[in-house]
Amino acid sequence: MQDEPSFQQQLRAAGLRVTAPRLAVMEILHEHPHETADFVAAGVREQLGGVSTQTVYDVLRACAERGLLRRIEPAGSPVRYETRTADNHHHLICRSCGEIVDIDCVDGLAPCLVPDQDHGYLVSEAEITFWGLCPTCRKVSGA
């Protein structure tokens, strides 16, 4: 079994220069998936010092555009990012604390679900969000 390419290799393969902010963003999101840009910016500044929030936003945008990061937008929540991009997985979100966990594709390969009427579209992906209460919040609420 072959190891996953390093972040340096992934950046180069995507046509991006390897920079300290890009590496820091990828490392932080690998360790803390489903985080916001503000969380990532704070982590980058902790690692590298005076990196602007705009620089982090630029890195997130460029990496998402090149397929290195996945951008998710849960209802009522800021945009979040993750490094898991190689599949069509879904998310389970706690309505109370906001915890997000990955759920493998519900029904096979992408798009894994198809609409009853495609209106002439070529459907390539389905994004499903499951909402509920995580085990910790269930205990607190008595549910």
Side-chain angles (χ1 to χ4, degrees):
M1 184 166 110
Q2 195 172 26
D3 290 335
E4 246 184 73
S6 69
F7 293 131
Q8 293 93 339
Q9 292 169 322
Q10 290 177 33
L11 287 164
R12 285 187 191 105
L16 295 171
R17 286 184 316 117
V18 176
T19 65
R22 286 178 178 154
L23 289 173
V25 165
M26 297 296 288
E27 290 167 3
I28 289 165
L29 286 169
H30 180 72
E31 294 296 319
H32 304 279
H34 312 122
E35 284 298 345
T36 64
D38 288 341
F39 178 93
V40 174
V44 169
R45 280 192 289 278
E46 190 175 298
Q47 280 186 23
L48 303 178
V51 176
S52 73
T53 300
Q54 186 59 53
T55 296
V56 173
Y57 274 93
D58 291 345
V59 168
L60 291 168
R61 180 191 43 74
C63 288
E65 286 175 354
R66 301 291 176 101
L68 297 175
L69 296 176
R70 182 175 177 185
R71 177 185 160 111
I72 62 172
E73 300 180 51
S77 174
V79 170
R80 311 233 170 202
Y81 296 88
E82 64 183 337
T83 58
R84 184 176 171 184
T85 61
D87 63 0
N88 182 213
H89 70 279
H90 309 296
H91 297 97
L92 175 58
I93 304 174
C94 179
R95 286 189 186 278
S96 182
C97 70
E99 177 185 50
I100 302 173
V101 295
D102 290 334
I103 301 292
D104 287 334
C105 199
V106 175
D107 187 24
L109 302 174
C112 85
L113 296 174
V114 292
D116 59 352
Q117 176 59 263
D118 66 16
H119 301 277
Y121 283 65
L122 174 61
V123 178
S124 61
E125 182 178 352
E127 185 173 306
I128 300 165
T129 303
F130 298 93
W131 295 88
L133 289 176
C134 71
T136 301
C137 292
R138 284 183 64 199
K139 283 181 188 174
V140 170
S141 72

